Amino acid sequence: MGSATPARGRRRDPSIDARVLRAAVDELAERGIAGFATNRVAARAGVDKRGIYARWPERDRLITDALGSLAAGLTVPGTGALRTDLMAIVPAVAAVFTSPRIEILQRCVQEAQEYPAIYTAFRRDSIDRCMAVVEEVFRSAARRGELTGDPVLAGEAFIGILLTRTGFVGQSTILDPAQQEAIVAFIVDAIATES
């Protein structure tokens, strides 16, 4: 009979990742990219700095992941209809355009242009990936014959309405489920194929 080798070290605490990312977002909100310090993130999260370095050996990756936690994190719903696909993603997209998320993202995206590696990674992993999901919702609608026109422009129009309403009417209008439904209905009616 052989003996089992005991596991070495402690089991990884899954709550640490979430705490560190929240602390990193707070650090970015307060100090931006230039002033971002892993030591302060560790103190904010109540974790040992070594635990952060074990998960994020590079400061830039931690910053990119923290910014990414503010993005929509969309997946294609695949409900089979444009209206229901848009209703499935509109709450997550709208949430990105509300305080304090939008202010942190705007500040850091502007600042990230001075840090090409961070900007490129954030753009690829968060902005481009979310836009690809929105575009795929409209491409799927085009394949089903629900859409006239360019799916990319339709996706940009959808995002544009949410941004415009946030900036000119207020955040509450895009968080209200009835308003979300009205926005989706407008987009669907505006681009739908004629029966």
Side-chain angles (χ1 to χ4, degrees):
M1 254 175 107
S3 61
T5 305
R8 302 193 93 164
R10 290 187 300 191
R11 196 179 277 181
R12 187 171 172 158
D13 180 354
S15 73
I16 290 176
D17 290 4
R19 288 192 345 246
V20 169
L21 288 174
R22 276 193 308 274
V25 166
D26 291 344
E27 178 76 1
L28 287 167
E30 188 176 306
R31 299 182 183 268
I33 294 171
F36 186 91
T38 305
N39 289 346
R40 283 193 299 270
V41 172
R44 287 175 190 268
V47 300
D48 188 270
K49 188 171 62 172
R50 289 174 298 188
I52 293 177
Y53 286 125
R55 291 163 171 82
W56 291 277
E58 299 171 5
R59 171 186 176 270
D60 287 3
R61 188 71 235 177
L62 176 56
I63 291 170
T64 302
D65 287 354
L67 289 172
S69 74
L70 297 173
L74 301 178
T75 57
V76 178
T79 66
L82 178 59
R83 187 180 303 269
T84 50
D85 277 356
L86 291 176
M87 285 306 300
I89 65 171
V90 73
V93 175
V96 172
F97 300 142
T98 58
S99 289
R101 287 167 82 167
I102 190 65
E103 290 86 3
I104 298 168
L105 284 169
Q106 286 172 333
R107 172 188 179 177
C108 290
V109 168
Q110 177 95 20
E111 190 181 356
Q113 294 179 39
E114 299 172 27
Y115 301 87
I118 293 172
Y119 182 75
T120 300
F122 175 69
R123 179 148 188 110
R124 179 194 65 232
D125 296 346
S126 296
I127 298 170
D128 293 347
R129 187 170 290 160
C130 287
M131 278 308 298
V133 169
V134 172
E135 289 169 13
E136 182 54 31
V137 164
F138 286 97
R139 281 193 182 95
S140 296
R143 287 191 293 272
R144 290 189 301 267
E146 294 180 83
L147 167 68
T148 58
D150 183 348
V152 173
L153 288 176
E156 290 170 357
F158 172 68
I159 297 296
I161 287 173
L162 292 170
L163 273 170
T164 301
R165 287 186 69 83
T166 300
F168 293 107
V169 183
Q171 295 176 11
S172 61
T173 62
I174 64 167
L175 294 176
D176 176 21
Q179 288 296 314
Q180 291 175 355
E181 205 167 319
I183 291 166
V184 167
F186 174 80
I187 288 286
V188 170
D189 292 345
I191 64 172
T193 55
E194 294 181 13
S195 312

